[in-house]
Every structure is written in C-alpha cells, then in structure tokens.
Amino acid sequence: VLGLLRWRVAAVVLLLVGGAAFGPSGLRIISVSEPIELLSNLGLGLLFFLAGGDLRVQALPATPAWWTP
C-alpha cells in the first residue's frame, strides 16, 4: 500500500483492481447478487459522469479530423 501511495495511484484504479481480484472472475470472494449488480451499475454511471465533468468542451475540435463534407 505504501508503494502505491508513493506512485499516487488514483483511488478509482485501486477499487477497479480490487473488484477484479475479489469478484467472480478473480478469487470469487464476492458473489454477484442483485443489490451488488445495482451498486456496480450506479458506480459505473457515476464514473462516467465524473469523467464527463472533467472534459473541457473547448479542448474538443469543432469538427472531427475524419469528417470531410
């Protein structure tokens, strides 16, 4: 844990790695039930929302590079 703090790894990355390690595709410590599936979908939606909040619209090009009318 101290090495990860020194690298300044984001908490989201640690949560994703922990979920993959302990979830049904890893060590199978956490089983998928309906409440856990609901929480995972809400968490994914929150992650997308927060990522969209960090997006600067001014940094996007007016038209995509592949678009040629």
Side-chain angles (χ1 to χ4, degrees):
V1 172
L2 294 176
L4 294 175
L5 291 176
R6 184 176 45 201
W7 288 347
R8 296 183 184 234
V9 175
V12 173
V13 174
L14 294 176
L15 289 172
L16 289 173
V17 169
F22 296 119
S25 60
L27 297 174
R28 296 184 180 150
I29 294 175
I30 301 172
S31 63
V32 178
S33 63
E34 198 163 321
I36 291 198
E37 189 173 351
L38 175 68
L39 286 175
S40 70
N41 288 333
L42 288 174
L44 186 61
L46 179 64
L47 180 66
F48 286 151
F49 180 75
L50 292 175
D54 286 341
L55 185 66
R56 291 183 303 140
V57 178
Q58 295 84 9
L60 297 174
T63 57
W66 53 267
W67 181 264
T68 54

